[in-house]
Amino acid sequence: MILITGATGHLGQLVIKELLNNKAEFVAGVRNINQYNGHHCNLEHLDYDNLSVMRNAFKNIDTIIFISGNAETEHRIQQHRNLIDAAKQENIKHIIYLSFITVTDPHPKFSFTRQHIDTESYLKASGISHTIVRSCWYMENIKTEIINALDNQVFIDNSNTGKISFISRQDVAKGLANIAINTNLQGRIYSFTGSAAYSMQNIVDLMNTNCHKQIKYTLYSDNDYKKRLIDAKLPEFLAEAITLNRVDIDNGDYAFICQDINFVNKKSPLDISEYIFSICCTH
């Protein structure tokens, strides 16, 4: 039996859909069962902050698809340790942990990377059999900026020339589900990236080509960019993290390209040029 955490999020729902399509036996771990309105499936109460609740949820579970919660870095580090502790106490056979591509940077500026580094280390030390999936930046993360640029002819960001090998949530979700279903894929470290890396200026060029626009790229200072994110109602800790992520982007942390997603999913991932074109066609 598979249990998926983070089931109410965008990625979690995509993983659930993949598991349903494959007729896998699974339950979705959710914090508030009464408020769940996602894909119809079996639910289990799950709370990263409550060890006994997690232990109860993990009874009769063999494999956990472990997707992060939504909290500040230090809180999330403790939550992840709680989950691993509960899994060990309930003799979980295997954990598939969704990590992040920048964990190989010894001095990352993106604060969430520290959480993934800690969780990978804690998971390895636990002795639980595991698979680690290091995902690159989701292309959906810049959808709002793409739409704003289509409307206003200006694309705003704070990164300079750094490139990102964007990956879609759908491709990551399919990969996580495939690993959970196929035990022969387990026990490895995967890097899920796109097939090419793009700078933000490259993104603007693709928009102008695919959407027949004349959008200009505007480079913001870190302070102005953070203020813009806060004005857009992002929590300050998240606005700070995303703003400082610019340093890791410009250092080349996200430009890494790997074929692991092709191997796991048996097909090439969606390219961001296709994603941009789909937005242009529907917006």
Side-chain angles (χ1 to χ4, degrees):
M1 177 71 76
I2 300 166
L3 182 144
I4 173 175
T5 75
T8 57
H10 295 298
L11 179 66
Q13 284 293 293
L14 290 172
V15 175
I16 287 173
K17 187 175 181 180
E18 290 291 333
L19 293 173
L20 288 170
N21 289 342
N22 284 278
K23 297 180 172 56
E25 292 187 359
F26 75 97
V27 295
V30 298
R31 188 180 183 91
N32 297 303
I33 290 178
N34 293 334
Q35 296 179 16
Y36 179 81
N37 62 353
H39 293 294
H40 180 71
C41 62
N42 293 323
L43 304 177
E44 193 70 57
H45 182 211
L46 190 73
D47 184 346
Y48 291 124
D49 295 311
N50 192 317
L51 199 65
S52 62
V53 166
M54 284 192 289
R55 287 193 63 180
N56 185 66
F58 295 162
K59 294 185 186 302
N60 303 315
I61 298 298
D62 300 307
T63 302
I64 297 174
I65 300 176
F66 183 6
I67 300 173
S68 295
N70 184 22
E72 295 187 53
T73 299
E74 298 306 321
H75 186 190
R76 199 183 298 196
I77 285 173
Q78 187 56 56
Q79 288 181 330
H80 286 198
R81 290 187 174 199
N82 291 343
L83 186 145
I84 293 167
D85 288 343
K88 186 171 184 177
Q89 291 169 22
E90 292 302 319
N91 298 311
I92 294 297
K93 292 181 180 178
H94 196 80
I95 293 178
I96 302 163
Y97 177 60
L98 181 61
S99 185
F100 203 53
I101 200 71
T102 58
V103 294
T104 55
D105 185 341
H107 305 291
K109 293 296 183 182
F110 187 46
S111 60
F112 289 2
T113 300
R114 291 192 290 106
Q115 160 245 303
H116 290 296
I117 291 172
D118 185 89
T119 303
E120 282 196 20
S121 176
Y122 201 76
L123 181 56
K124 291 172 186 175
S126 74
I128 301 172
S129 173
H130 59 273
T131 302
I132 292 173
V133 175
R134 295 170 177 168
S135 172
C136 200
W137 199 250
Y138 299 141
M139 57 184 66
E140 291 87 349
N141 288 346
I142 63 169
K143 180 178 181 179
T144 298
E145 198 57 65
I146 290 172
I147 291 173
N148 287 339
L150 290 173
D151 291 339
N152 304 312
Q153 310 299 301
V154 176
F155 188 101
I156 296 170
D157 200 80
N158 67 327
S159 66
N160 194 358
T161 58
K163 293 187 175 183
I164 301 174
S165 54
F166 291 98
I167 188 79
S168 73
R169 285 196 186 101
Q170 178 58 57
D171 283 319
V172 173
K174 185 176 182 64
L176 292 172
N178 282 337
I179 293 168
I181 294 166
N182 301 290
T183 57
N184 61 304
L185 294 174
Q186 295 174 4
R188 311 181 192 184
I189 297 177
Y190 295 103
S191 295
F192 283 2
T193 76
S195 301
Y198 299 88
S199 69
M200 292 304 172
Q201 180 62 61
N202 294 151
I203 297 300
V204 171
D205 294 340
L206 286 171
M207 293 178 67
N208 287 334
T209 299
N210 290 329
C211 308
H212 307 291
K213 298 285 186 178
Q214 292 183 326
I215 297 166
K216 293 182 179 180
Y217 179 58
T218 299
L219 183 66
Y220 266 30
S221 69
D222 289 348
N223 286 338
D224 288 343
Y225 192 69
K226 179 181 176 181
K227 181 179 184 303
R228 187 169 187 268
L229 295 176
I230 291 174
D231 289 345
K233 308 303 182 184
L234 264 68
E236 185 166 356
F237 80 89
L238 184 56
E240 174 81 8
I242 292 173
T243 298
L244 290 178
N245 194 33
R246 184 271 308 168
V247 178
D248 296 343
I249 294 171
D250 288 341
N251 282 342
D253 288 358
Y254 293 86
F256 177 66
I257 296 170
C258 183
Q259 301 299 314
D260 285 349
I261 193 76
N262 306 58
F263 170 72
V264 172
N265 289 346
K266 294 183 171 53
K267 71 182 189 70
S268 298
L270 179 73
D271 190 81
I272 197 165
S273 61
E274 301 171 83
Y275 180 68
I276 290 171
F277 183 70
S278 69
I279 296 174
C280 292
C281 289
T282 57
H283 182 66

